[in-house]
Amino acid sequence: MNRKIKLIRSKEAQTGAGDEIGIVSRKADTHFSGLGIFFMIICFLISMGCAYLAQYLKLSDLLTLVIVVFWALLGAIFLYSLRVARPWEKAVVLRLGKFHGLSGPGIFWLMPVIDTVTIWIDQRVMVTPFSAEKTLTKDTVPVNVDAVLFWVIWDAEKAALEVEDYQQAIAWASQTALREIIGQMTLADILVGRAKMDSDLQKIIDERTTPWGITVQSVEIRDVIIPPDLEDSMSRQAQAERERQARVILGESEKQIASSFAEAAESYIDNPTALHLRAMNMLFEGMKQKGAMVIVPSSAVDTMNLGAMSGLVSLATNNATGSGEKPAE
C-alpha cells in the first residue's frame, strides 16, 4: 500500500491565486437509519415502563436504575450500530483503528465501541469544474481556460486510505494538468484542437488519480478566453482574409467572363450580319426604358452604318418640320 498522501495548501493556494476550482464540501453524515431510531424509541418507552412498574412493585432503587440503564443502553446500541447506506454509497469501516472492510449499500451492523465509519464514499459520477487563468501558451499568449471533469470512484478503499481528501486532490491535479497542457500548445492549437486537448487532459489526470482508486471518464473544455486586444487583431485579420478571398473570386469571375467574350468574338468574326443583329438587339434592350440614354462607340456606329441611318432620319424630321407636316412615324 502506498504511503498516504496528505494535501497541504499554502495561504496563496487557499485564496485561489487567480484560478477557480469547484470543490464539493463533504458534510458529516451519521446515516442514522429510521429502523434504528424506531428501536431506540421502543427501548426508551420500555425503560420508562420498567421504571414505573418498579415503583409500583416497590423494588429497590438500585434494581430500578439497572433496568432503566440497560434498556437505555440497548436503545443507544440500536441507534449507533444499525446503519443504512444509500444505493450509491460505500461505508469505510475501521475496527480498533484498522481497516475492516466496506459496507453497503443497504442495512449493515456496526460493533458498538470498536467499529467506526470514517467516511461515506459516493460512487456516482462526480463533476468538478476547474479553470486556469492568465496561463501562457507556447507562443506566450495569456489565456483563460474553463473546463469540467467527469470522474468516478472505482475503488472506495483506495479513495479513503490513499489520499486525505480525494475531491480536493483531484481538483488540484486537474488544474495543474490543465496548466501543463496549455504551456505545451500554441494558441491556434488550443482554439482548433479542443478534442486533442480533452484527450491529453484525460490521460494525464487519469494517470495521477488511478492510485487513489479514481478513474476519469471525460474532460471537456468549456471556454477559451483570449485578451481583448488580441481578439480585435484576430478579428481584423479574419476580415482581411475574407476581403482577399472576395477579390480572388472576383478576379476568377472576370477571367471566366473574358474567356466567354473571346469565344463569342470568334463566333462573330466570320458572320458580320449576326454581329449587326446582336448589336441592334443590345441597343433595343438598352432603350426600352423611358428616358434611357445609350452611349455607342463611333467605331460601332460606322460598322453598323448607324450614322447614315440617323442622318436620313434627322433630314426627314427637319423637312417635315419646315413644311408644317407631322413626320411619319
Side-chain angles (χ1 to χ4, degrees):
M1 186 178 294
N2 297 331
R3 186 178 180 180
K4 182 178 180 180
I5 301 174
K6 188 173 182 180
L7 185 63
I8 302 175
R9 294 185 299 167
S10 62
K11 183 177 180 180
E12 292 80 10
Q14 291 176 355
T15 57
D19 297 324
E20 296 180 358
I21 297 179
I23 299 176
V24 181
S25 60
R26 295 184 298 174
K27 298 180 180 179
D29 191 353
T30 54
H31 283 64
F32 289 133
S33 66
L35 191 60
I37 295 174
F38 172 76
F39 282 125
M40 184 200 68
I41 294 175
I42 294 298
C43 292
F44 177 75
L45 294 177
I46 291 175
S47 66
M48 296 296 294
C50 290
Y52 178 77
L53 183 62
Q55 289 182 357
Y56 179 77
L57 298 176
K58 296 181 180 180
L59 299 178
S60 63
D61 294 340
L62 180 60
L63 181 59
T64 303
L65 179 62
V66 169
I67 295 173
V68 171
V69 170
F70 169 78
W71 285 105
L73 288 176
L74 186 60
I77 290 173
F78 275 115
L79 179 63
Y80 174 80
S81 300
L82 196 60
R83 301 294 182 90
V84 176
R86 300 182 182 95
W88 56 85
E89 290 179 329
K90 289 287 187 180
V92 179
V93 180
L94 300 183
R95 177 165 292 177
L96 298 177
K98 295 183 178 180
F99 177 75
H100 176 65
L102 300 174
S103 299
I107 298 176
F108 61 94
W109 182 268
L110 297 178
M111 294 296 293
V113 181
I114 64 175
D115 285 350
T116 56
V117 176
T118 58
I119 186 174
W120 298 83
I121 303 296
D122 192 333
Q123 293 190 309
R124 293 175 295 182
V125 177
M126 307 294 290
V127 181
T128 300
F130 61 99
S131 66
E133 296 184 1
K134 297 181 179 179
T135 305
L136 293 179
T137 61
K138 188 177 181 180
D139 49 354
T140 65
V141 178
V143 295
N144 300 340
V145 180
D146 295 331
V148 61
L149 176 70
F150 298 90
W151 53 278
V152 66
I153 297 176
W154 57 271
D155 192 332
E157 179 182 351
K158 290 183 178 180
L161 302 180
E162 297 297 328
V163 62
E164 181 184 15
D165 190 336
Y166 60 86
Q167 292 182 344
Q168 288 186 348
I170 194 173
W172 287 108
S174 303
Q175 186 189 88
T176 55
L178 178 60
R179 284 181 167 272
E180 181 180 346
I181 289 294
I182 293 175
Q184 297 175 357
M185 301 178 67
T186 62
L187 178 60
D189 294 337
I190 294 175
L191 295 177
V192 301
R194 292 195 180 187
K196 182 179 182 301
M197 191 174 178
D198 293 343
S199 177
D200 294 342
L201 272 174
Q202 179 180 354
K203 182 178 179 181
I204 294 175
I205 299 173
D206 192 61
E207 290 177 354
R208 297 179 181 179
T209 58
T210 297
W212 305 336
I214 298 173
T215 183
V216 177
Q217 291 190 338
S218 65
V219 181
E220 296 181 5
I221 302 298
R222 295 190 300 176
D223 194 12
V224 178
I225 303 175
I226 61 178
D229 296 339
L230 180 60
E231 186 176 355
D232 294 340
S233 301
M234 294 177 65
S235 177
R236 290 194 297 269
Q237 181 181 0
Q239 183 177 1
E241 179 65 20
R242 287 194 296 269
E243 291 179 357
R244 185 188 69 83
Q245 292 179 358
R247 293 184 179 182
V248 170
I249 294 173
L250 180 61
E252 292 292 334
S253 301
E254 293 290 341
K255 183 178 178 180
Q256 294 176 3
I257 293 173
S259 177
S260 300
F261 283 165
E263 294 178 0
E266 291 179 358
S267 301
Y268 290 133
I269 192 170
D270 296 328
N271 194 349
T273 304
L275 177 62
H276 291 170
L277 292 175
R278 177 58 180 162
M280 295 294 293
N281 182 66
M282 292 175 62
L283 288 175
F284 174 74
E285 293 292 336
M287 299 182 66
K288 283 196 303 184
Q289 296 183 359
K290 185 177 180 180
M293 179 178 65
V294 179
I295 299 176
V296 181
S298 59
S299 58
V301 173
D302 296 337
T303 302
M304 294 182 293
N305 295 323
L306 295 178
M309 185 181 298
S310 62
L312 292 176
V313 172
S314 177
L315 180 60
T317 303
N318 291 334
N319 293 334
T321 304
S323 60
E325 296 179 357
K326 185 178 178 180
E329 295 183 357

